[in-house]
Amino acid sequence: MSIRRSLYEGFKNVHNKLHNVKTTSDFQTTGRLTPKEFVEAGDELVQKNPVWQWVGGPESVQDYLPKEKKCIVYRGAPCTERAPVDSTNASPEAVDEDDFVLTEATQVALPATALEEEKVLTWDEDDDDSGEEDVVATATDNSNLRVYDVYIVYDKYYQTPRMYLVGYASDHVTPLSMGQMKEDVYRSNYGKTVTIDPHPVLSIPCISIHPCRHAETMRSLMHRMQENYNREKANDPNAEPFVFPTHLALLLFLKFISTVLPTIQYDVSSGFHLV
């Protein structure tokens, strides 16, 4: 870590110790969340998409969050290809107003881990409890497959969600080195919006997507949604004012953050689109 970065992280730590957590609810206008709103949005994400689960931690870590709800994790998000390393291999890209390099990657449905045999339990109203199982063979030859545990943590300083990712080989046991994890980061983002940082709850090195522009980006997206809504309802005198539901904040977060690391497939939400 550079001296400049160390000083910056030290400043944030001192700031967090001296200042109380955010308590004012103003997500619609600022894109920032209170810890209470983060927990409510996390509960909604876990309910809508059960692949996400709450992770607990010591009460002394992020003591403004419940002991059993320190962060949210999706274990085993597939990563089927390495990030482009030069412009000749890159997907179409654009740099948004928040300095993120945005790319498009093909989303491929894959199992979280590669297994020689996968036991699939099927049942219907006519099934009995005999315990018989249908065994389905699955393909295993995917040398490019890696998997990531994806964590969403509340960042007190920026008052937004922050994403951390821990990489593994396809067996979901062998950890990737920092060099290998860098291979899954778009080069234009690494060292700027994407860095290697210790996990605030687990204290292990992770890919981290820096949250300095998260609030601004989410506010911009909500403003865009509001403009579209106002156009659609322009001739409706009974239309209600546009208000983005705060409990859906993490769905919005995942939609925009999935463009930063497009080869890691952690956005599993459905029926929710950025417009």
Side-chain angles (χ1 to χ4, degrees):
M1 184 181 294
S2 67
I3 295 177
R4 180 180 178 183
R5 181 88 181 281
S6 297
L7 291 173
Y8 173 67
E9 293 298 330
F11 169 78
K12 286 202 309 178
N13 290 335
V14 172
H15 178 278
N16 286 343
K17 290 178 181 178
L18 296 178
H19 292 78
N20 294 326
V21 295
K22 178 179 175 62
T23 57
T24 304
S25 179
D26 54 10
F27 179 67
Q28 183 79 17
T29 56
T30 68
R32 303 182 190 278
L33 293 170
T34 67
K36 181 176 182 292
E37 289 171 334
F38 173 78
V39 171
E40 291 171 349
D43 287 341
E44 182 74 12
L45 177 62
V46 169
Q47 180 183 8
K48 297 291 187 184
N49 298 285
V51 295
W52 293 95
Q53 296 294 324
W54 280 108
V55 175
E59 291 184 354
S60 59
V61 176
Q62 295 181 317
D63 56 4
Y64 42 84
L65 293 173
K67 181 179 179 180
E68 70 280 7
K69 295 182 178 181
K70 297 297 184 181
C71 59
I72 310 166
V73 63
Y74 169 18
R75 302 186 190 278
C79 178
T80 60
E81 56 183 313
R82 308 290 72 80
V85 295
D86 56 48
S87 58
T88 59
N89 296 325
S91 301
E93 66 177 76
V95 179
D96 72 357
E97 64 270 25
D98 302 310
D99 295 331
F100 286 113
V101 174
L102 309 181
T103 63
E104 295 292 338
T106 303
Q107 300 293 299
V108 181
L110 288 172
T113 55
L115 304 174
E116 292 185 2
E117 287 187 340
E118 178 184 0
K119 292 184 177 180
V120 179
L121 299 180
T122 59
W123 61 88
D124 55 34
E125 294 179 356
D126 297 327
D127 284 346
D128 57 25
D129 295 327
S130 62
E132 294 183 357
E133 300 171 346
D134 296 325
V135 178
V136 180
T138 59
T140 62
D141 185 16
N142 191 338
S143 58
N144 288 327
L145 177 64
R146 294 173 176 176
V147 294
Y148 277 82
D149 290 348
V150 184
Y151 295 87
I152 304 175
V153 178
Y154 182 79
D155 190 291
K156 179 182 177 182
Y157 182 79
Y158 289 104
Q159 302 169 349
T160 65
R162 181 171 184 172
M163 182 171 283
Y164 292 83
L165 304 98
V166 185
Y168 297 88
S170 60
D171 59 7
H172 204 179
V173 174
T174 307
L176 300 180
S177 67
M178 286 190 288
Q180 288 173 313
M181 286 193 286
K182 288 180 183 179
E183 295 173 353
D184 297 324
V185 175
Y186 201 74
R187 176 175 290 182
S188 299
N189 281 328
Y190 184 74
K192 296 167 55 180
T193 56
V194 180
T195 55
I196 300 292
D197 292 300
H199 192 291
V201 178
L202 306 178
S203 300
I204 56 177
C206 308
I207 291 177
S208 171
I209 302 178
H210 201 273
C212 59
R213 297 294 184 89
H214 286 4
E216 184 178 342
T217 302
M218 288 195 286
R219 183 183 61 189
S220 175
L221 291 172
M222 287 187 289
H223 180 68
R224 193 182 309 168
M225 291 179 180
Q226 182 176 7
E227 289 180 334
N228 290 338
Y229 176 84
N230 290 342
R231 281 195 296 269
E232 292 176 359
K233 301 295 184 179
N235 298 321
D236 183 358
N238 299 318
E240 297 289 335
F242 174 85
V243 177
F244 187 88
T246 305
H247 66 276
L248 299 181
L250 291 186
L251 294 176
L252 179 67
F253 172 74
L254 286 174
K255 282 298 181 183
F256 95 78
I257 213 72
S258 65
T259 62
V260 181
L261 296 174
T263 62
I264 303 174
Q265 299 171 29
Y266 47 77
D267 177 19
V268 295
S269 58
S270 60
F272 183 87
H273 305 282
L274 297 182
V275 292

Coordinates of all heavy atoms in Angstrom, one line a residue, residues 1-49:
M1 N 0.8 -1.2 0.0 CA 0.0 0.0 0.0 C 0.9 1.2 0.0 O 1.8 1.3 0.8 CB -0.9 0.0 1.2 CG -1.9 1.2 1.3 SD -3.0 1.1 2.7 CE -3.9 -0.3 2.5
S2 N 0.6 2.2 -0.9 CA 1.4 3.4 -1.0 C 1.2 4.3 0.3 O 0.3 4.1 1.1 CB 0.9 4.2 -2.2 OG -0.4 4.7 -2.0
I3 N 2.2 5.2 0.5 CA 2.1 6.1 1.6 C 0.9 7.0 1.5 O 0.2 7.2 2.5 CB 3.4 7.0 1.6 CG1 4.6 6.2 1.9 CG2 3.2 8.1 2.7 CD1 5.9 7.0 1.8
R4 N 0.5 7.4 0.3 CA -0.7 8.2 0.2 C -1.9 7.5 0.6 O -2.8 8.0 1.3 CB -0.8 8.7 -1.3 CG -2.0 9.6 -1.5 CD -2.0 10.0 -3.0 NE -3.2 10.8 -3.3 CZ -3.5 11.2 -4.5 NH1 -2.7 11.0 -5.5 NH2 -4.6 11.9 -4.7
R5 N -2.0 6.2 0.1 CA -3.1 5.4 0.5 C -3.2 5.1 2.0 O -4.3 5.1 2.6 CB -3.0 4.1 -0.3 CG -4.1 3.1 -0.1 CD -5.2 3.4 -1.1 NE -6.3 2.4 -0.8 CZ -6.3 1.2 -1.2 NH1 -5.3 0.7 -1.9 NH2 -7.3 0.4 -1.0
S6 N -2.0 4.8 2.6 CA -2.0 4.6 4.0 C -2.5 5.8 4.8 O -3.2 5.6 5.8 CB -0.6 4.2 4.5 OG -0.1 3.0 3.9
L7 N -2.1 7.0 4.4 CA -2.5 8.2 5.1 C -4.0 8.4 4.9 O -4.7 8.7 5.9 CB -1.8 9.4 4.5 CG -0.3 9.5 4.9 CD1 0.3 10.7 4.1 CD2 -0.1 9.7 6.4
Y8 N -4.5 8.1 3.7 CA -5.9 8.2 3.5 C -6.8 7.2 4.3 O -7.8 7.6 4.9 CB -6.2 7.9 2.0 CG -7.6 7.8 1.6 CD1 -8.5 9.0 1.6 CD2 -8.2 6.6 1.1 CE1 -9.8 8.9 1.2 CE2 -9.5 6.6 0.8 CZ -10.3 7.7 0.8 OH -11.6 7.6 0.4
E9 N -6.3 6.0 4.4 CA -7.0 5.0 5.2 C -6.9 5.3 6.7 O -7.9 5.1 7.4 CB -6.4 3.6 5.0 CG -6.6 3.0 3.6 CD -8.1 2.8 3.2 OE1 -8.9 2.5 4.2 OE2 -8.5 2.9 2.1
G10 N -5.8 5.9 7.1 CA -5.7 6.3 8.5 C -6.6 7.4 8.8 O -7.3 7.5 9.9
F11 N -6.8 8.4 7.9 CA -7.7 9.5 8.1 C -9.1 9.0 8.2 O -9.9 9.4 9.1 CB -7.6 10.5 6.9 CG -8.7 11.5 6.9 CD1 -8.7 12.6 7.7 CD2 -9.8 11.3 6.0 CE1 -9.7 13.5 7.7 CE2 -10.8 12.2 6.0 CZ -10.8 13.3 6.8
K12 N -9.5 8.0 7.4 CA -10.9 7.5 7.4 C -11.1 6.8 8.8 O -12.2 6.9 9.4 CB -11.1 6.4 6.3 CG -11.3 7.1 4.9 CD -12.0 6.2 4.0 CE -11.4 4.8 3.9 NZ -12.2 3.9 3.1
N13 N -10.1 6.0 9.3 CA -10.3 5.4 10.6 C -10.5 6.3 11.7 O -11.3 6.1 12.6 CB -9.1 4.5 10.8 CG -9.0 3.3 9.9 OD1 -10.0 2.8 9.4 ND2 -7.8 2.8 9.7
V14 N -9.7 7.4 11.7 CA -9.9 8.4 12.7 C -11.2 9.1 12.6 O -11.9 9.3 13.6 CB -8.7 9.5 12.6 CG1 -9.0 10.7 13.5 CG2 -7.4 8.9 12.9
H15 N -11.6 9.4 11.4 CA -12.9 10.0 11.1 C -14.1 9.1 11.7 O -15.0 9.6 12.3 CB -13.1 10.3 9.6 CG -14.5 10.9 9.3 ND1 -15.6 10.1 9.1 CD2 -14.9 12.1 9.0 CE1 -16.6 10.9 8.8 NE2 -16.2 12.1 8.7
N16 N -14.0 7.8 11.4 CA -15.0 6.9 11.8 C -15.1 6.8 13.3 O -16.2 6.6 13.9 CB -14.8 5.5 11.2 CG -15.1 5.5 9.7 OD1 -15.8 6.4 9.2 ND2 -14.6 4.5 9.0
K17 N -14.0 7.0 14.0 CA -14.0 6.9 15.5 C -14.6 8.2 16.1 O -15.2 8.1 17.2 CB -12.6 6.7 16.0 CG -12.0 5.3 15.7 CD -10.6 5.1 16.2 CE -10.0 3.7 15.8 NZ -8.6 3.6 16.3
L18 N -14.4 9.3 15.4 CA -14.8 10.6 16.0 C -16.2 10.9 15.6 O -16.8 11.8 16.3 CB -13.9 11.7 15.5 CG -12.4 11.6 16.0 CD1 -11.6 12.7 15.4 CD2 -12.3 11.6 17.5
H19 N -16.8 10.3 14.6 CA -18.1 10.7 14.1 C -19.1 9.6 14.3 O -18.8 8.4 14.2 CB -18.1 11.1 12.7 CG -17.3 12.4 12.4 ND1 -16.0 12.4 12.4 CD2 -17.8 13.7 12.2 CE1 -15.6 13.7 12.1 NE2 -16.6 14.4 12.0
N20 N -20.3 10.0 14.6 CA -21.4 9.0 14.8 C -21.9 8.5 13.4 O -21.6 9.1 12.4 CB -22.6 9.6 15.5 CG -22.2 9.9 17.0 OD1 -21.4 9.2 17.6 ND2 -22.8 11.0 17.5
V21 N -22.6 7.4 13.4 CA -23.1 6.8 12.2 C -24.3 7.7 11.7 O -24.9 8.5 12.4 CB -23.6 5.4 12.3 CG1 -22.4 4.5 12.7 CG2 -24.7 5.3 13.4
K22 N -24.5 7.6 10.4 CA -25.6 8.4 9.8 C -26.9 7.9 10.3 O -27.2 6.7 10.4 CB -25.5 8.2 8.3 CG -26.7 8.8 7.5 CD -26.5 8.6 6.0 CE -27.6 9.1 5.1 NZ -27.7 10.6 5.3
T23 N -27.8 8.8 10.6 CA -29.2 8.5 11.1 C -30.3 9.1 10.3 O -31.4 8.8 10.4 CB -29.3 8.9 12.6 OG1 -29.1 10.3 12.7 CG2 -28.4 8.2 13.5
T24 N -29.9 10.1 9.4 CA -30.9 10.8 8.6 C -31.2 10.0 7.4 O -30.3 9.7 6.6 CB -30.4 12.2 8.3 OG1 -30.1 12.9 9.4 CG2 -31.5 13.0 7.5
S25 N -32.5 9.8 7.1 CA -32.9 9.0 5.9 C -33.1 10.0 4.7 O -34.0 10.8 4.7 CB -34.2 8.3 6.2 OG -34.6 7.6 5.0
D26 N -32.2 9.9 3.8 CA -32.2 10.8 2.6 C -31.7 10.1 1.3 O -31.1 10.7 0.5 CB -31.5 12.1 2.9 CG -30.0 11.9 3.3 OD1 -29.5 10.7 3.2 OD2 -29.4 12.9 3.7
F27 N -31.9 8.8 1.2 CA -31.4 8.0 0.1 C -31.8 8.6 -1.2 O -31.0 8.6 -2.2 CB -31.8 6.6 0.3 CG -31.3 5.7 -0.9 CD1 -30.0 5.4 -1.0 CD2 -32.2 5.1 -1.8 CE1 -29.5 4.6 -2.0 CE2 -31.8 4.3 -2.8 CZ -30.4 4.0 -2.9
Q28 N -33.1 9.0 -1.3 CA -33.6 9.5 -2.6 C -32.8 10.7 -3.1 O -32.6 10.8 -4.3 CB -35.1 9.9 -2.4 CG -35.8 10.4 -3.7 CD -36.2 9.2 -4.5 OE1 -36.3 8.1 -4.1 NE2 -36.5 9.5 -5.8
T29 N -32.3 11.6 -2.3 CA -31.6 12.8 -2.7 C -30.1 12.7 -2.6 O -29.4 13.4 -3.3 CB -32.1 14.0 -1.8 OG1 -31.8 13.7 -0.4 CG2 -33.6 14.3 -2.0
T30 N -29.6 11.8 -1.8 CA -28.1 11.7 -1.7 C -27.5 10.4 -2.1 O -26.3 10.3 -2.4 CB -27.7 11.9 -0.2 OG1 -28.2 10.8 0.6 CG2 -28.3 13.2 0.4
G31 N -28.3 9.3 -2.2 CA -27.8 8.0 -2.6 C -27.1 7.3 -1.4 O -26.4 6.3 -1.6
R32 N -27.2 7.9 -0.2 CA -26.5 7.3 1.0 C -27.6 6.6 1.9 O -28.7 7.0 1.9 CB -25.8 8.4 1.8 CG -24.8 9.2 0.9 CD -24.1 10.3 1.7 NE -23.3 11.1 0.9 CZ -22.1 10.8 0.4 NH1 -21.5 9.7 0.8 NH2 -21.4 11.7 -0.3
L33 N -27.1 5.6 2.6 CA -27.9 4.8 3.5 C -27.5 5.0 5.0 O -26.3 5.1 5.3 CB -27.8 3.3 3.1 CG -28.4 2.9 1.7 CD1 -28.0 1.5 1.5 CD2 -29.9 3.1 1.7
T34 N -28.5 4.9 5.8 CA -28.1 4.7 7.3 C -27.9 3.2 7.5 O -28.3 2.3 6.7 CB -29.3 5.1 8.1 OG1 -30.4 4.2 7.9 CG2 -29.7 6.5 7.8
P35 N -27.2 2.8 8.6 CA -27.0 1.4 8.9 C -28.4 0.6 9.0 O -28.5 -0.5 8.5 CB -26.3 1.4 10.2 CG -25.5 2.7 10.2 CD -26.4 3.7 9.5
K36 N -29.4 1.3 9.5 CA -30.7 0.7 9.6 C -31.3 0.4 8.2 O -31.8 -0.7 8.0 CB -31.6 1.6 10.4 CG -33.1 1.0 10.6 CD -33.9 1.9 11.5 CE -35.3 1.4 11.7 NZ -36.1 1.4 10.5
E37 N -31.1 1.3 7.3 CA -31.6 1.1 5.9 C -30.8 0.1 5.2 O -31.3 -0.7 4.4 CB -31.5 2.5 5.2 CG -32.6 3.5 5.7 CD -32.4 4.9 5.1 OE1 -31.2 5.2 4.7 OE2 -33.3 5.6 4.9
F38 N -29.5 0.0 5.5 CA -28.7 -1.0 4.9 C -29.2 -2.4 5.3 O -29.3 -3.3 4.5 CB -27.2 -0.9 5.4 CG -26.3 -2.0 4.9 CD1 -25.8 -2.1 3.6 CD2 -25.9 -3.0 5.8 CE1 -25.0 -3.1 3.2 CE2 -25.0 -4.0 5.5 CZ -24.6 -4.1 4.2
V39 N -29.5 -2.6 6.6 CA -30.0 -3.9 7.1 C -31.3 -4.2 6.5 O -31.6 -5.3 6.0 CB -30.1 -3.8 8.7 CG1 -30.9 -5.1 9.2 CG2 -28.7 -3.8 9.3
E40 N -32.2 -3.2 6.4 CA -33.5 -3.4 5.7 C -33.3 -3.8 4.2 O -34.0 -4.7 3.8 CB -34.4 -2.2 5.8 CG -34.8 -1.9 7.3 CD -35.5 -0.5 7.4 OE1 -35.4 0.3 6.4 OE2 -36.0 -0.2 8.5
A41 N -32.4 -3.1 3.6 CA -32.2 -3.5 2.2 C -31.5 -4.9 2.0 O -31.8 -5.6 1.1 CB -31.3 -2.4 1.5
G42 N -30.7 -5.2 3.0 CA -30.1 -6.5 3.0 C -31.1 -7.6 3.3 O -31.1 -8.7 2.6
D43 N -32.1 -7.4 4.2 CA -33.1 -8.3 4.4 C -34.0 -8.6 3.1 O -34.4 -9.7 2.8 CB -34.1 -7.8 5.5 CG -33.4 -7.9 6.9 OD1 -32.5 -8.7 7.0 OD2 -33.9 -7.2 7.8
E44 N -34.2 -7.5 2.4 CA -35.0 -7.6 1.1 C -34.2 -8.4 0.1 O -34.7 -9.3 -0.6 CB -35.3 -6.2 0.6 CG -36.1 -6.2 -0.7 CD -37.5 -6.5 -0.5 OE1 -38.0 -6.5 0.7 OE2 -38.3 -6.7 -1.5
L45 N -32.9 -8.2 0.0 CA -32.1 -8.9 -1.0 C -32.0 -10.4 -0.6 O -32.2 -11.2 -1.5 CB -30.6 -8.3 -1.0 CG -29.6 -9.0 -1.9 CD1 -30.0 -8.9 -3.3 CD2 -28.2 -8.4 -1.7
V46 N -31.8 -10.7 0.6 CA -31.8 -12.1 1.1 C -33.1 -12.8 0.8 O -33.2 -14.0 0.4 CB -31.4 -12.2 2.6 CG1 -31.6 -13.6 3.1 CG2 -29.9 -11.7 2.7
Q47 N -34.2 -12.1 1.0 CA -35.5 -12.7 0.8 C -35.8 -12.9 -0.7 O -36.3 -13.9 -1.1 CB -36.6 -11.8 1.4 CG -38.0 -12.3 1.2 CD -39.1 -11.4 1.7 OE1 -38.8 -10.2 2.1 NE2 -40.3 -11.8 1.8
K48 N -35.4 -11.9 -1.5 CA -35.7 -12.0 -2.9 C -34.8 -13.0 -3.6 O -35.1 -13.6 -4.6 CB -35.6 -10.6 -3.6 CG -36.6 -9.6 -3.1 CD -38.0 -9.9 -3.6 CE -38.9 -8.7 -3.2 NZ -40.3 -9.0 -3.5
N49 N -33.5 -13.0 -3.2 CA -32.5 -13.9 -3.8 C -31.8 -14.7 -2.7 O -30.8 -14.2 -2.2 CB -31.5 -13.0 -4.6 CG -32.1 -12.2 -5.7 OD1 -32.5 -12.8 -6.7 ND2 -32.3 -10.9 -5.5

